Amino acid sequence: MRNVTQQNISDVVIAALSSDIPARNRQILENLIRHIHAFCIETKVTHAELIQACQFLVRAGHISDDARNEFILLSDILGIEVLVDMLDLTDGESESTVLGPFYRENPPVLPKGASIVQKSFEGSQSVRVSGTISDTSGRPIPGVIIDVWEDAPNGLYEQQDPEQPDYNLRGRFLTDEEGRYEFVGIRPAPYPIPYDGAAGELLNYMGHHPWRPGHIHFMIQKDGYQSLVSQIYDADTKYLDNDAVFAVKESLIGKLHKGPAGSDTDLVMEFDFKLKPKAAEIAVAAE
Ligand code: BEZ
Ligand code: FE
């Protein structure tokens, strides 16, 4: 095709897709091409702006490595990760929210009730977090694997901070026979997402701030159930109503109470989660 015009460019590029690519590739590419072309036309993108955007992506690539994924940050700042997450409709299970860029695989495996705090911080408040993991019909589930991670009071996750021990404020726990989990952490501090690279440039372009409310991350997994990636937000933290990455959900806000008399932590928080059985298990349960 030689006479490509504004009117036919999308059809022309889509016609270039091979007929034997997988159906999902075709769906993704067709929609992407149509929407990006429509965006360029509607916004009247200039050539200089296109080059600026490409250079911006090069900078995002240069600052990314195994420990830092600038592209996840960019998707978060634009509300894309939280939107994609919402497309998985909930059906009685707890709400999920963004994974973010700071998860690390294989955290220390710890017994129920253990502390994830390897280095104490002046002025931080300890909190005992506990709860029950059950299925969507309310039956507690034993043997659920729960990874938790949180930032230190200086607002940094351990991999961002050479002063913290490896895997500080991370742990993996199992629920007991009653589906109960429990660990000791610290009150999570609000923190700015990294803004010294392309993510910061985008925030400046938007005139938006980089702050996230204090939260504790959870990844909850058990064979036969849909894995849940979520966060609990401290009910008294700043930024609940203006999270830089739009990930707060009312159902994920938890209250940190003063520890009862005799408690070995400053604060306590009880928070339950529900997991959805995978389709095959739902069919078996219904028989
Ligand atoms: C986080 O909660 O760790 C996070 C989520 C999105 C962007 C940056 C950080
Ligand atoms: Fe976080």
Side-chain angles (χ1 to χ4, degrees), residues 184-247:
V184 172
I186 53 176
R187 173 167 240 158
Y191 64 85
I193 63 172
Y195 58 90
D196 56 340
E201 286 184 55
L202 178 59
L203 285 165
N204 276 338
Y205 196 83
M206 294 167 73
H208 201 203
H209 69 82
W211 287 88
R212 295 222 62 213
H215 59 273
I216 302 177
H217 291 264
F218 284 74
M219 182 183 281
I220 306 178
Q221 305 175 78
K222 164 93 183 172
D223 280 351
Y225 295 86
Q226 283 189 12
S227 298
L228 178 69
V229 171
S230 201
Q231 304 178 17
I232 304 178
Y233 294 92
D234 177 351
D236 296 306
T237 180
K238 278 179 83 174
Y239 305 110
L240 279 180
D241 292 312
N242 52 356
D243 179 9
V245 304
F246 314 102

Short mmCIF file of all heavy atoms in Angstrom, two decimals, residues 184-247:
data_model
loop_
_atom_site.label_atom_id
_atom_site.label_comp_id
_atom_site.label_asym_id
_atom_site.label_seq_id
_atom_site.Cartn_x
_atom_site.Cartn_y
_atom_site.Cartn_z
N VAL A 184 4.87 -10.00 63.54
CA VAL A 184 5.13 -8.69 64.13
C VAL A 184 5.91 -7.86 63.11
O VAL A 184 6.91 -8.32 62.55
CB VAL A 184 5.94 -8.83 65.44
CG1 VAL A 184 6.39 -7.44 65.95
CG2 VAL A 184 5.12 -9.54 66.49
N GLY A 185 5.41 -6.66 62.86
CA GLY A 185 6.09 -5.72 61.97
C GLY A 185 6.16 -4.36 62.64
O GLY A 185 6.13 -4.27 63.89
N ILE A 186 6.25 -3.32 61.84
CA ILE A 186 6.22 -1.97 62.39
C ILE A 186 5.13 -1.18 61.68
O ILE A 186 4.71 -1.57 60.58
CB ILE A 186 7.58 -1.24 62.25
CG1 ILE A 186 8.03 -1.29 60.79
CG2 ILE A 186 8.62 -1.81 63.18
CD1 ILE A 186 9.30 -0.51 60.56
N ARG A 187 4.71 -0.08 62.34
CA ARG A 187 3.69 0.76 61.67
C ARG A 187 4.28 1.25 60.35
O ARG A 187 5.36 1.87 60.34
CB ARG A 187 3.33 1.94 62.58
CG ARG A 187 2.43 2.92 61.89
CD ARG A 187 1.80 3.92 62.82
NE ARG A 187 0.36 3.80 62.74
CZ ARG A 187 -0.50 4.18 63.65
NH1 ARG A 187 -0.08 4.72 64.77
NH2 ARG A 187 -1.79 4.03 63.46
N PRO A 188 3.62 0.96 59.22
CA PRO A 188 4.21 1.34 57.93
C PRO A 188 4.16 2.86 57.72
O PRO A 188 3.16 3.50 58.06
CB PRO A 188 3.33 0.61 56.91
CG PRO A 188 2.02 0.42 57.60
CD PRO A 188 2.31 0.30 59.09
N ALA A 189 5.24 3.40 57.18
CA ALA A 189 5.31 4.86 56.97
C ALA A 189 4.90 5.20 55.54
O ALA A 189 5.20 4.43 54.62
CB ALA A 189 6.75 5.32 57.20
N PRO A 190 4.25 6.36 55.36
CA PRO A 190 4.05 6.84 53.98
C PRO A 190 5.42 7.02 53.33
O PRO A 190 6.39 7.30 54.04
CB PRO A 190 3.37 8.19 54.15
CG PRO A 190 2.83 8.21 55.55
CD PRO A 190 3.74 7.31 56.35
N TYR A 191 5.51 6.84 52.04
CA TYR A 191 6.80 7.06 51.37
C TYR A 191 6.58 7.56 49.95
O TYR A 191 5.52 7.29 49.35
CB TYR A 191 7.65 5.77 51.35
CG TYR A 191 7.03 4.63 50.56
CD1 TYR A 191 7.21 4.52 49.18
CD2 TYR A 191 6.26 3.66 51.19
CE1 TYR A 191 6.65 3.49 48.46
CE2 TYR A 191 5.69 2.62 50.48
CZ TYR A 191 5.89 2.54 49.11
OH TYR A 191 5.31 1.52 48.41
N PRO A 192 7.55 8.28 49.42
CA PRO A 192 7.45 8.70 48.02
C PRO A 192 7.94 7.58 47.12
O PRO A 192 8.96 6.96 47.42
CB PRO A 192 8.39 9.91 47.95
CG PRO A 192 9.39 9.69 49.03
CD PRO A 192 8.76 8.81 50.09
N ILE A 193 7.22 7.29 46.05
CA ILE A 193 7.76 6.32 45.10
C ILE A 193 9.01 6.95 44.47
O ILE A 193 9.15 8.19 44.48
CB ILE A 193 6.71 5.93 44.03
CG1 ILE A 193 6.30 7.14 43.18
CG2 ILE A 193 5.49 5.31 44.69
CD1 ILE A 193 5.42 6.75 42.00
N PRO A 194 9.95 6.14 43.98
CA PRO A 194 11.20 6.72 43.48
C PRO A 194 10.93 7.78 42.40
O PRO A 194 10.26 7.49 41.41
CB PRO A 194 11.94 5.50 42.91
CG PRO A 194 11.36 4.33 43.63
CD PRO A 194 9.92 4.68 43.89
N TYR A 195 11.45 9.01 42.60
CA TYR A 195 11.16 10.08 41.64
C TYR A 195 12.44 10.72 41.12
O TYR A 195 12.44 11.84 40.65
CB TYR A 195 10.22 11.13 42.26
CG TYR A 195 10.72 11.79 43.53
CD1 TYR A 195 11.48 12.95 43.46
CD2 TYR A 195 10.41 11.24 44.77
CE1 TYR A 195 11.93 13.56 44.62
CE2 TYR A 195 10.86 11.84 45.93
CZ TYR A 195 11.63 12.99 45.85
OH TYR A 195 12.08 13.57 47.01
N ASP A 196 13.54 9.95 41.21
CA ASP A 196 14.82 10.48 40.72
C ASP A 196 15.08 10.06 39.27
O ASP A 196 16.19 10.24 38.77
CB ASP A 196 15.96 9.99 41.62
CG ASP A 196 15.98 8.47 41.72
OD1 ASP A 196 14.95 7.84 41.44
OD2 ASP A 196 17.04 7.90 42.07
N GLY A 197 14.08 9.50 38.60
CA GLY A 197 14.27 9.06 37.22
C GLY A 197 13.07 9.45 36.38
O GLY A 197 12.40 10.46 36.64
N ALA A 198 12.77 8.61 35.40
CA ALA A 198 11.69 8.91 34.47
C ALA A 198 10.34 9.06 35.19
O ALA A 198 9.51 9.89 34.81
CB ALA A 198 11.60 7.82 33.41
N ALA A 199 10.14 8.25 36.25
CA ALA A 199 8.87 8.36 37.00
C ALA A 199 8.72 9.77 37.58
O ALA A 199 7.63 10.34 37.56
CB ALA A 199 8.83 7.30 38.11
N GLY A 200 9.82 10.32 38.09
CA GLY A 200 9.80 11.68 38.64
C GLY A 200 9.50 12.70 37.54
O GLY A 200 8.76 13.67 37.75
N GLU A 201 10.08 12.47 36.37
CA GLU A 201 9.81 13.39 35.25
C GLU A 201 8.32 13.39 34.92
O GLU A 201 7.72 14.44 34.68
CB GLU A 201 10.55 12.92 33.99
CG GLU A 201 12.04 13.16 34.00
CD GLU A 201 12.62 12.74 32.64
OE1 GLU A 201 12.14 13.24 31.60
OE2 GLU A 201 13.53 11.90 32.63
N LEU A 202 7.73 12.17 34.91
CA LEU A 202 6.30 12.07 34.57
C LEU A 202 5.45 12.76 35.64
O LEU A 202 4.50 13.49 35.33
CB LEU A 202 5.90 10.60 34.42
CG LEU A 202 4.44 10.32 34.12
CD1 LEU A 202 3.99 11.00 32.81
CD2 LEU A 202 4.17 8.81 34.02
N LEU A 203 5.82 12.54 36.92
CA LEU A 203 5.07 13.20 37.99
C LEU A 203 5.15 14.72 37.84
O LEU A 203 4.15 15.43 38.02
CB LEU A 203 5.62 12.77 39.36
CG LEU A 203 5.23 11.35 39.80
CD1 LEU A 203 6.10 10.89 40.97
CD2 LEU A 203 3.76 11.27 40.19
N ASN A 204 6.34 15.25 37.51
CA ASN A 204 6.48 16.69 37.31
C ASN A 204 5.60 17.17 36.16
O ASN A 204 4.95 18.22 36.25
CB ASN A 204 7.94 17.05 36.95
CG ASN A 204 8.76 17.21 38.21
OD1 ASN A 204 8.22 17.45 39.30
ND2 ASN A 204 10.06 17.03 38.07
N TYR A 205 5.60 16.41 35.09
CA TYR A 205 4.80 16.75 33.90
C TYR A 205 3.33 16.83 34.29
O TYR A 205 2.57 17.66 33.79
CB TYR A 205 5.05 15.65 32.87
CG TYR A 205 4.66 15.95 31.45
CD1 TYR A 205 5.51 16.65 30.59
CD2 TYR A 205 3.45 15.47 30.92
CE1 TYR A 205 5.16 16.88 29.28
CE2 TYR A 205 3.09 15.71 29.61
CZ TYR A 205 3.96 16.42 28.78
OH TYR A 205 3.60 16.65 27.48
N MET A 206 2.93 15.92 35.21
CA MET A 206 1.53 15.88 35.66
C MET A 206 1.23 16.91 36.75
O MET A 206 0.07 17.16 37.07
CB MET A 206 1.21 14.49 36.26
CG MET A 206 1.24 13.34 35.29
SD MET A 206 1.22 11.74 36.14
CE MET A 206 -0.45 11.62 36.72
N GLY A 207 2.29 17.41 37.40
CA GLY A 207 2.08 18.26 38.58
C GLY A 207 1.52 17.46 39.74
O GLY A 207 0.74 17.96 40.54
N HIS A 208 1.92 16.17 39.83
CA HIS A 208 1.40 15.31 40.90
C HIS A 208 2.54 14.97 41.86
O HIS A 208 3.71 15.00 41.49
CB HIS A 208 0.82 14.03 40.30
CG HIS A 208 -0.15 13.33 41.19
ND1 HIS A 208 -0.45 12.00 41.09
CD2 HIS A 208 -0.89 13.79 42.24
CE1 HIS A 208 -1.33 11.66 42.00
NE2 HIS A 208 -1.62 12.73 42.71
N HIS A 209 2.15 14.61 43.10
CA HIS A 209 3.17 14.28 44.12
C HIS A 209 3.48 12.77 44.08
O HIS A 209 2.71 11.99 43.51
CB HIS A 209 2.63 14.67 45.51
CG HIS A 209 1.50 13.79 45.94
ND1 HIS A 209 1.70 12.56 46.51
CD2 HIS A 209 0.15 13.93 45.85
CE1 HIS A 209 0.54 11.99 46.77
NE2 HIS A 209 -0.42 12.82 46.36
N PRO A 210 4.59 12.36 44.71
CA PRO A 210 4.98 10.94 44.62
C PRO A 210 4.55 10.08 45.81
O PRO A 210 4.93 8.92 45.89
CB PRO A 210 6.51 11.03 44.59
CG PRO A 210 6.81 12.24 45.42
CD PRO A 210 5.67 13.21 45.23
N TRP A 211 3.75 10.61 46.74
CA TRP A 211 3.57 9.92 48.02
C TRP A 211 2.53 8.80 47.99
O TRP A 211 1.47 8.93 47.39
CB TRP A 211 3.18 10.92 49.12
CG TRP A 211 4.36 11.75 49.51
CD1 TRP A 211 4.75 12.92 48.91
CD2 TRP A 211 5.32 11.46 50.51
NE1 TRP A 211 5.91 13.38 49.51
CE2 TRP A 211 6.28 12.50 50.50
CE3 TRP A 211 5.48 10.42 51.44
CZ2 TRP A 211 7.37 12.53 51.37
CZ3 TRP A 211 6.57 10.45 52.30
CH2 TRP A 211 7.49 11.49 52.26
N ARG A 212 2.85 7.72 48.71
CA ARG A 212 1.90 6.61 48.96
C ARG A 212 1.56 6.59 50.45
O ARG A 212 2.42 6.87 51.30
CB ARG A 212 2.55 5.25 48.63
CG ARG A 212 2.90 5.06 47.14
CD ARG A 212 2.52 3.65 46.72
NE ARG A 212 1.10 3.46 46.88
CZ ARG A 212 0.51 2.32 47.21
NH1 ARG A 212 1.23 1.24 47.40
NH2 ARG A 212 -0.80 2.24 47.35
N PRO A 213 0.32 6.20 50.79
CA PRO A 213 -0.04 6.06 52.21
C PRO A 213 0.68 4.86 52.83
O PRO A 213 1.10 3.94 52.12
CB PRO A 213 -1.55 5.79 52.14
CG PRO A 213 -1.80 5.26 50.77
CD PRO A 213 -0.77 5.85 49.87
N GLY A 214 0.82 4.86 54.17
CA GLY A 214 1.46 3.73 54.86
C GLY A 214 0.67 2.45 54.63
O GLY A 214 -0.56 2.44 54.81
N HIS A 215 1.35 1.38 54.26
CA HIS A 215 0.67 0.12 53.94
C HIS A 215 1.61 -1.05 54.15
O HIS A 215 2.83 -0.90 54.14
CB HIS A 215 0.16 0.13 52.49
CG HIS A 215 1.27 0.34 51.49
ND1 HIS A 215 1.68 1.59 51.11
CD2 HIS A 215 2.07 -0.54 50.84
CE1 HIS A 215 2.69 1.47 50.26
NE2 HIS A 215 2.95 0.19 50.08
N ILE A 216 1.01 -2.23 54.30
CA ILE A 216 1.77 -3.47 54.36
C ILE A 216 1.31 -4.33 53.18
O ILE A 216 0.11 -4.46 52.95
CB ILE A 216 1.53 -4.23 55.69
CG1 ILE A 216 1.90 -3.35 56.88
CG2 ILE A 216 2.32 -5.54 55.72
CD1 ILE A 216 1.62 -3.99 58.24
N HIS A 217 2.28 -4.87 52.45
CA HIS A 217 1.96 -5.70 51.28
C HIS A 217 1.73 -7.16 51.68
O HIS A 217 2.44 -7.69 52.55
CB HIS A 217 3.12 -5.70 50.29
CG HIS A 217 3.35 -4.41 49.61
ND1 HIS A 217 2.83 -4.14 48.36
CD2 HIS A 217 4.04 -3.31 49.97
CE1 HIS A 217 3.21 -2.94 47.99
NE2 HIS A 217 3.95 -2.40 48.95
N PHE A 218 0.82 -7.80 50.97
CA PHE A 218 0.53 -9.23 51.16
C PHE A 218 0.49 -9.93 49.80
O PHE A 218 -0.09 -9.40 48.85
CB PHE A 218 -0.86 -9.45 51.80
CG PHE A 218 -0.89 -9.16 53.26
CD1 PHE A 218 -0.86 -7.86 53.73
CD2 PHE A 218 -0.95 -10.21 54.18
CE1 PHE A 218 -0.88 -7.60 55.09
CE2 PHE A 218 -0.98 -9.96 55.54
CZ PHE A 218 -0.94 -8.65 56.00
N MET A 219 1.11 -11.10 49.75
CA MET A 219 0.89 -12.01 48.61
C MET A 219 0.45 -13.34 49.23
O MET A 219 1.19 -13.93 50.02
CB MET A 219 2.16 -12.20 47.79
CG MET A 219 1.93 -13.09 46.59
SD MET A 219 3.45 -13.38 45.66
CE MET A 219 3.57 -11.88 44.75
N ILE A 220 -0.74 -13.79 48.90
CA ILE A 220 -1.36 -14.91 49.61
C ILE A 220 -1.63 -16.03 48.60
O ILE A 220 -2.33 -15.81 47.60
CB ILE A 220 -2.67 -14.45 50.29
CG1 ILE A 220 -2.37 -13.23 51.19
CG2 ILE A 220 -3.30 -15.56 51.09
CD1 ILE A 220 -3.59 -12.64 51.88
N GLN A 221 -1.05 -17.22 48.87
CA GLN A 221 -1.13 -18.28 47.87
C GLN A 221 -1.42 -19.63 48.50
O GLN A 221 -0.89 -19.94 49.57
CB GLN A 221 0.22 -18.42 47.15
CG GLN A 221 0.72 -17.14 46.52
CD GLN A 221 2.11 -17.31 45.94
OE1 GLN A 221 2.26 -17.85 44.86
NE2 GLN A 221 3.12 -16.87 46.67
N LYS A 222 -2.24 -20.41 47.81
CA LYS A 222 -2.51 -21.79 48.25
C LYS A 222 -3.00 -22.55 47.03
O LYS A 222 -3.87 -22.05 46.30
CB LYS A 222 -3.57 -21.76 49.36
CG LYS A 222 -4.24 -23.08 49.66
CD LYS A 222 -3.54 -23.83 50.77
CE LYS A 222 -4.22 -25.18 50.98
NZ LYS A 222 -3.52 -26.06 51.88
N ASP A 223 -2.47 -23.76 46.82
CA ASP A 223 -2.93 -24.56 45.68
C ASP A 223 -4.44 -24.68 45.72
O ASP A 223 -5.03 -24.92 46.78
CB ASP A 223 -2.34 -25.98 45.76
CG ASP A 223 -0.90 -26.00 45.25
OD1 ASP A 223 -0.46 -24.97 44.70
OD2 ASP A 223 -0.25 -27.04 45.44
N GLY A 224 -5.09 -24.55 44.59
CA GLY A 224 -6.54 -24.71 44.52
C GLY A 224 -7.29 -23.40 44.72
O GLY A 224 -8.52 -23.37 44.61
N TYR A 225 -6.56 -22.32 45.02
CA TYR A 225 -7.21 -21.00 45.22
C TYR A 225 -6.52 -19.97 44.34
O TYR A 225 -5.33 -20.09 44.04
CB TYR A 225 -7.09 -20.55 46.69
CG TYR A 225 -7.85 -21.47 47.61
CD1 TYR A 225 -7.24 -22.62 48.11
CD2 TYR A 225 -9.17 -21.20 47.97
CE1 TYR A 225 -7.94 -23.49 48.94
CE2 TYR A 225 -9.87 -22.06 48.79
CZ TYR A 225 -9.25 -23.21 49.27
OH TYR A 225 -9.95 -24.06 50.08
N GLN A 226 -7.28 -18.95 43.98
CA GLN A 226 -6.65 -17.87 43.22
C GLN A 226 -5.75 -17.06 44.13
O GLN A 226 -6.17 -16.66 45.22
CB GLN A 226 -7.73 -16.97 42.61
CG GLN A 226 -8.34 -17.62 41.41
CD GLN A 226 -9.25 -16.71 40.63
OE1 GLN A 226 -9.29 -15.51 40.84
NE2 GLN A 226 -9.99 -17.30 39.72
N SER A 227 -4.52 -16.85 43.70
CA SER A 227 -3.58 -16.08 44.52
C SER A 227 -4.10 -14.65 44.66
O SER A 227 -4.76 -14.13 43.76
CB SER A 227 -2.20 -16.05 43.87
OG SER A 227 -1.73 -17.37 43.78
N LEU A 228 -3.78 -14.06 45.79
CA LEU A 228 -4.24 -12.70 46.06
C LEU A 228 -3.04 -11.81 46.34
O LEU A 228 -2.23 -12.11 47.22
CB LEU A 228 -5.17 -12.71 47.28
CG LEU A 228 -5.71 -11.35 47.72
CD1 LEU A 228 -6.70 -10.79 46.69
CD2 LEU A 228 -6.41 -11.46 49.08
N VAL A 229 -2.90 -10.73 45.59
CA VAL A 229 -1.86 -9.73 45.85
C VAL A 229 -2.58 -8.50 46.36
O VAL A 229 -3.45 -7.95 45.68
CB VAL A 229 -1.09 -9.39 44.56
CG1 VAL A 229 -0.18 -8.21 44.77
CG2 VAL A 229 -0.31 -10.60 44.08
N SER A 230 -2.28 -8.08 47.59
CA SER A 230 -3.05 -6.99 48.15
C SER A 230 -2.21 -6.17 49.13
O SER A 230 -1.00 -6.43 49.29
CB SER A 230 -4.31 -7.56 48.82
OG SER A 230 -5.28 -6.55 48.95
N GLN A 231 -2.82 -5.21 49.76
CA GLN A 231 -2.14 -4.36 50.75
C GLN A 231 -3.16 -4.01 51.82
O GLN A 231 -4.34 -3.89 51.52
CB GLN A 231 -1.64 -3.05 50.11
CG GLN A 231 -0.74 -3.24 48.91
CD GLN A 231 -0.32 -1.92 48.27
OE1 GLN A 231 -0.42 -0.85 48.86
NE2 GLN A 231 0.19 -2.00 47.06
N ILE A 232 -2.68 -3.84 53.05
CA ILE A 232 -3.54 -3.27 54.09
C ILE A 232 -3.04 -1.84 54.31
O ILE A 232 -1.84 -1.61 54.50
CB ILE A 232 -3.42 -4.02 55.44
CG1 ILE A 232 -3.73 -5.51 55.27
CG2 ILE A 232 -4.37 -3.41 56.47
CD1 ILE A 232 -3.58 -6.29 56.58
N TYR A 233 -3.98 -0.90 54.33
CA TYR A 233 -3.64 0.51 54.56
C TYR A 233 -3.95 0.88 56.00
O TYR A 233 -5.03 0.55 56.51
CB TYR A 233 -4.44 1.40 53.60
CG TYR A 233 -4.03 1.16 52.18
CD1 TYR A 233 -4.69 0.22 51.40
CD2 TYR A 233 -2.94 1.82 51.64
CE1 TYR A 233 -4.28 -0.05 50.10
CE2 TYR A 233 -2.52 1.56 50.35
CZ TYR A 233 -3.19 0.63 49.58
OH TYR A 233 -2.77 0.37 48.30
N ASP A 234 -3.03 1.57 56.62
CA ASP A 234 -3.22 2.09 57.98
C ASP A 234 -4.33 3.14 57.94
O ASP A 234 -4.23 4.14 57.22
CB ASP A 234 -1.87 2.69 58.42
CG ASP A 234 -1.93 3.35 59.79
OD1 ASP A 234 -3.03 3.50 60.36
OD2 ASP A 234 -0.84 3.73 60.28
N ALA A 235 -5.39 2.92 58.73
CA ALA A 235 -6.54 3.84 58.71
C ALA A 235 -6.16 5.27 59.08
O ALA A 235 -6.88 6.21 58.72
CB ALA A 235 -7.61 3.32 59.67
N ASP A 236 -5.03 5.44 59.78
CA ASP A 236 -4.66 6.79 60.24
C ASP A 236 -3.50 7.39 59.46
O ASP A 236 -2.90 8.38 59.89
CB ASP A 236 -4.33 6.73 61.73
CG ASP A 236 -5.56 6.35 62.53
OD1 ASP A 236 -6.60 7.02 62.37
OD2 ASP A 236 -5.50 5.34 63.28
N THR A 237 -3.16 6.80 58.34
CA THR A 237 -2.02 7.33 57.57
C THR A 237 -2.46 8.52 56.71
O THR A 237 -3.63 8.66 56.37
CB THR A 237 -1.44 6.23 56.65
OG1 THR A 237 -0.35 6.77 55.91
CG2 THR A 237 -2.46 5.73 55.65
N LYS A 238 -1.48 9.34 56.34
CA LYS A 238 -1.75 10.38 55.33
C LYS A 238 -1.85 9.73 53.95
O LYS A 238 -1.40 8.60 53.76
CB LYS A 238 -0.58 11.37 55.29
CG LYS A 238 -0.63 12.44 56.37
CD LYS A 238 0.57 13.36 56.28
CE LYS A 238 0.38 14.45 55.24
NZ LYS A 238 1.51 15.43 55.26
N TYR A 239 -2.38 10.45 53.02
CA TYR A 239 -2.44 10.08 51.59
C TYR A 239 -3.44 8.98 51.25
O TYR A 239 -3.41 8.45 50.15
CB TYR A 239 -1.04 9.69 51.06
CG TYR A 239 -0.01 10.76 51.30
CD1 TYR A 239 1.01 10.59 52.22
CD2 TYR A 239 -0.09 11.99 50.63
CE1 TYR A 239 1.93 11.58 52.47
CE2 TYR A 239 0.83 12.99 50.87
CZ TYR A 239 1.83 12.77 51.79
OH TYR A 239 2.75 13.77 52.05
N LEU A 240 -4.35 8.63 52.19
CA LEU A 240 -5.36 7.62 51.83
C LEU A 240 -6.23 8.13 50.66
O LEU A 240 -6.70 7.35 49.85
CB LEU A 240 -6.27 7.32 53.02
CG LEU A 240 -5.75 6.34 54.07
CD1 LEU A 240 -6.79 6.15 55.16
CD2 LEU A 240 -5.38 5.00 53.45
N ASP A 241 -6.43 9.46 50.64
CA ASP A 241 -7.32 10.01 49.61
C ASP A 241 -6.59 10.58 48.41
O ASP A 241 -7.23 11.09 47.49
CB ASP A 241 -8.22 11.10 50.23
CG ASP A 241 -9.20 10.47 51.21
OD1 ASP A 241 -9.83 9.46 50.83
OD2 ASP A 241 -9.30 10.96 52.35
N ASN A 242 -5.27 10.51 48.43
CA ASN A 242 -4.54 10.99 47.25
C ASN A 242 -3.24 10.22 47.07
O ASN A 242 -2.15 10.78 47.00
CB ASN A 242 -4.30 12.51 47.30
CG ASN A 242 -3.65 12.93 48.61
OD1 ASN A 242 -3.46 12.12 49.51
ND2 ASN A 242 -3.30 14.21 48.71
N ASP A 243 -3.39 8.90 46.98
CA ASP A 243 -2.28 7.99 46.72
C ASP A 243 -1.69 8.28 45.33
O ASP A 243 -2.44 8.39 44.35
CB ASP A 243 -2.86 6.57 46.77
CG ASP A 243 -1.84 5.49 46.50
OD1 ASP A 243 -0.64 5.79 46.42
OD2 ASP A 243 -2.27 4.31 46.38
N ALA A 244 -0.38 8.37 45.24
CA ALA A 244 0.27 8.65 43.95
C ALA A 244 -0.03 7.60 42.90
O ALA A 244 0.06 7.86 41.70
CB ALA A 244 1.78 8.75 44.13
N VAL A 245 -0.40 6.37 43.34
CA VAL A 245 -0.64 5.30 42.36
C VAL A 245 -2.09 4.79 42.38
O VAL A 245 -2.40 3.76 41.81
CB VAL A 245 0.38 4.14 42.49
CG1 VAL A 245 1.80 4.66 42.38
CG2 VAL A 245 0.21 3.37 43.79
N PHE A 246 -2.97 5.52 43.10
CA PHE A 246 -4.43 5.28 43.04
C PHE A 246 -4.85 3.88 43.50
O PHE A 246 -5.86 3.35 43.04
CB PHE A 246 -4.92 5.51 41.59
CG PHE A 246 -4.38 6.77 40.96
CD1 PHE A 246 -3.32 6.72 40.05
CD2 PHE A 246 -4.90 8.00 41.30
CE1 PHE A 246 -2.81 7.89 39.50
CE2 PHE A 246 -4.40 9.17 40.74
CZ PHE A 246 -3.35 9.11 39.84
N ALA A 247 -4.09 3.28 44.43
CA ALA A 247 -4.32 1.85 44.73
C ALA A 247 -5.14 1.60 46.00
O ALA A 247 -5.38 0.45 46.36
CB ALA A 247 -2.97 1.14 44.85
#
